[in-house]
């Protein structure tokens, strides 16, 4: 649709496509250059704060555990420390695994060739698909028997409008949710607020998944970080 609007304004279609692809590429580079260092620093900060979280949870649970004489207090503290250490190291291990996989893929000659070919094919294919899209549709239309052409075109048009409306709507909602959650969690002071906000926004495409991916981790980490109920209440609001 954006390319069609450029063309309606008497702008050359090829130039409009090149402009749009360049703009998208620069936007991705800008977002990655800003977001990735912030996410890594938040993960490292969370990892370093795990011992404090273990201590605060232990201080909250130990009085309850002491009321149950059959339980071993030292053993429970050991299990808590092991569990929180594993959870705290999980984001960092995930980032290291992803980084190691990328480096491993690019370290070999074949990996470099495949990456180069992909980087070359994707923009070239996108360019020609956008450039010849109307022509492709017209060629498909000509191959439909004349007696079925109007009915088929009407049916496919309804399918196109329904699917495009659904996906654009879901992407719009996901973008709005991320735009609200990222600064909101940052202001509240939630650990890993940037990553949680982005993941929750992307997960909102699937109904109720954002609750598992975004709300529950944000609530738990905020409570562990501040140790009160006021800040988790702000996350809930």
């Amino acid at each position: 649709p954006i390319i069609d609007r450029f063309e309606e304004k008497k702008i050359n279609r090829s130039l409009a496509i090149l402009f749009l692809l360049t703009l998208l590429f620069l936007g991705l580079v800008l977002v990655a250059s800003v977001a990735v260092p912030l996410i890594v620093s938040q993960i490292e900060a969370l990892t370093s704060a795990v011992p404090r979280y273990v201590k605060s949870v232990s201080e909250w649970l130990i009085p309850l555990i002491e009321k149950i004489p059959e339980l071993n207090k030292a053993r429970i503290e050991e299990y808590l420390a092991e569990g929180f250490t594993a959870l705290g190291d999980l984001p960092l291990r995930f980032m290291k695994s992803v980084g190691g996989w990328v480096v491993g893929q690019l370290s070999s000659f074949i990996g470099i060739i495949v990456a180069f070919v992909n980087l070359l094919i994707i923009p070239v294919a996108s360019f020609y698909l956008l450039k010849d899209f109307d022509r492709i549709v017209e060629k498909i239309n000509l191959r439909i028997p004349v007696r079925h052409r109007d009915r088929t075109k009407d049916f496919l048009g309804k399918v196109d409008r329904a699917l495009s409306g659904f996906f654009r709507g879901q992407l719009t909602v996901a973008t709005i949710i991320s735009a609200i959650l990222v600064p909101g969690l940052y202001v509240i002071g939630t650990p890993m607020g940037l990553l949680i906000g982005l993941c929750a926004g992307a997960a909102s495409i699937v109904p109720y998944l954002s609750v598992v991916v975004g709300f529950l981790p944000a609530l738990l980490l905020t409570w562990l970080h501040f140790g009160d109920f006021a800040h988790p209440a702000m996350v809930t609001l």
Side-chain angles (χ1 to χ4, degrees):
I2 296 175
I3 301 300
D4 290 338
R5 289 175 185 174
F6 275 120
E7 198 171 25
E8 289 172 1
K9 296 182 181 296
K10 308 301 180 183
I11 298 174
N12 183 272
R13 191 174 183 88
S14 298
L15 291 177
I17 295 170
L18 288 174
F19 173 75
L20 181 63
L21 291 178
T22 303
L23 197 64
L24 288 173
F25 176 76
L26 292 176
L28 289 174
V29 171
L30 179 63
V31 170
S33 62
V34 173
V36 171
L38 289 175
I39 291 173
V40 171
S41 65
Q42 288 186 351
I43 290 175
E44 292 175 347
L46 175 64
T47 303
S48 63
V50 166
R52 182 166 61 86
Y53 295 162
V54 173
K55 182 180 178 181
S56 62
V57 172
S58 299
E59 291 175 351
W60 180 68
L61 282 179
I62 293 306
L64 300 177
I65 294 172
E66 288 177 344
K67 297 179 181 180
I68 306 175
E70 292 81 6
L71 295 179
N72 188 326
K73 175 183 173 182
R75 200 71 171 170
I76 296 297
E77 289 181 346
E78 183 180 347
Y79 287 148
L80 285 174
E82 292 176 356
F84 273 97
T85 301
L87 288 174
D89 290 341
L90 186 61
L92 191 59
R93 290 202 304 268
F94 174 75
M95 293 295 291
K96 288 181 178 179
S97 298
V98 173
W101 179 81
V102 172
V103 171
Q105 292 293 317
L106 296 178
S107 60
S108 64
F109 178 75
I110 298 299
I112 294 175
I113 296 298
V114 170
F116 177 76
V117 170
N118 285 332
L119 288 175
L120 184 64
I121 287 176
I122 291 172
V124 171
S126 300
F127 176 84
Y128 282 105
L129 182 63
L130 288 170
K131 188 175 186 299
D132 297 330
F133 186 78
D134 293 337
R135 191 180 303 172
I136 293 171
V137 172
E138 184 62 28
K139 292 289 185 181
I140 294 174
N141 190 43
L142 291 175
R143 281 162 174 75
I144 301 173
V146 177
R147 63 181 183 278
H148 300 303
R149 189 171 295 170
D150 291 339
R151 183 183 299 175
T152 303
K153 189 175 180 180
D154 179 65
F155 173 75
L156 293 178
K158 291 179 180 178
V159 172
D160 174 64
R161 288 190 293 272
L163 290 177
S164 62
F166 172 77
F167 284 112
R168 289 175 188 169
Q170 292 296 96
L171 290 175
T172 302
V173 169
T175 303
I176 292 173
I177 289 176
S178 294
I180 293 173
L181 289 180
V182 169
L185 294 177
Y186 176 80
V187 170
I188 294 171
T190 301
M192 290 178 58
L194 175 60
L195 183 60
I196 291 174
L198 292 175
C199 291
S204 65
I205 295 175
V206 180
Y208 305 110
L209 185 60
S210 60
V211 175
V212 178
V213 174
F215 176 68
L216 295 180
L219 201 64
L220 176 62
L221 289 175
T222 304
W223 177 73
L224 290 173
H225 186 73
F226 292 101
D228 59 17
F229 292 101
H231 288 85
M234 294 169 65
V235 173
T236 304
L237 296 175

